[in-house]
Amino acid sequence: SEPGGLQQLQYVETDGSVSNGSALPGITGVKAVAASEAPSKALVAERQDSIVRLLPDTNWKTVTPKKGTAPVYPG
């Protein structure tokens, strides 16, 4: 992030190249992110104070305030 700006998250392919997917909505305080190979599944992130999710074509929504850490998808 730029000084005073939001963190900018991007999808990155497994080979390290930037994905052609759409830009993600800005969010602050992200510590960890979990993503599935299935584009229909939510992107899940751990913030300083909560776990949040991002479904396709929506904004970030809180899942569990102050509970849980390090979200992961099995596999």
Side-chain angles (χ1 to χ4, degrees):
S1 68
E2 294 185 27
L6 291 175
Q7 287 178 323
Q8 182 60 50
L9 300 178
Q10 295 180 337
Y11 284 110
V12 177
E13 301 294 337
T14 54
D15 65 1
S17 63
V18 177
S19 174
N20 291 332
S22 61
L24 297 171
I27 188 170
T28 58
V30 173
K31 295 177 170 183
V33 175
S36 170
E37 292 179 6
S40 62
K41 295 206 177 199
L43 182 63
V44 183
E46 175 187 0
R47 294 183 69 192
Q48 296 168 339
D49 58 352
S50 61
I51 302 292
V52 294
R53 69 179 178 160
L54 178 68
L55 292 167
D57 301 321
T58 65
N59 282 322
W60 294 98
K61 294 188 180 181
T62 300
V63 176
T64 55
K66 299 183 182 182
K67 293 181 183 179
T69 59
V72 296
Y73 275 98

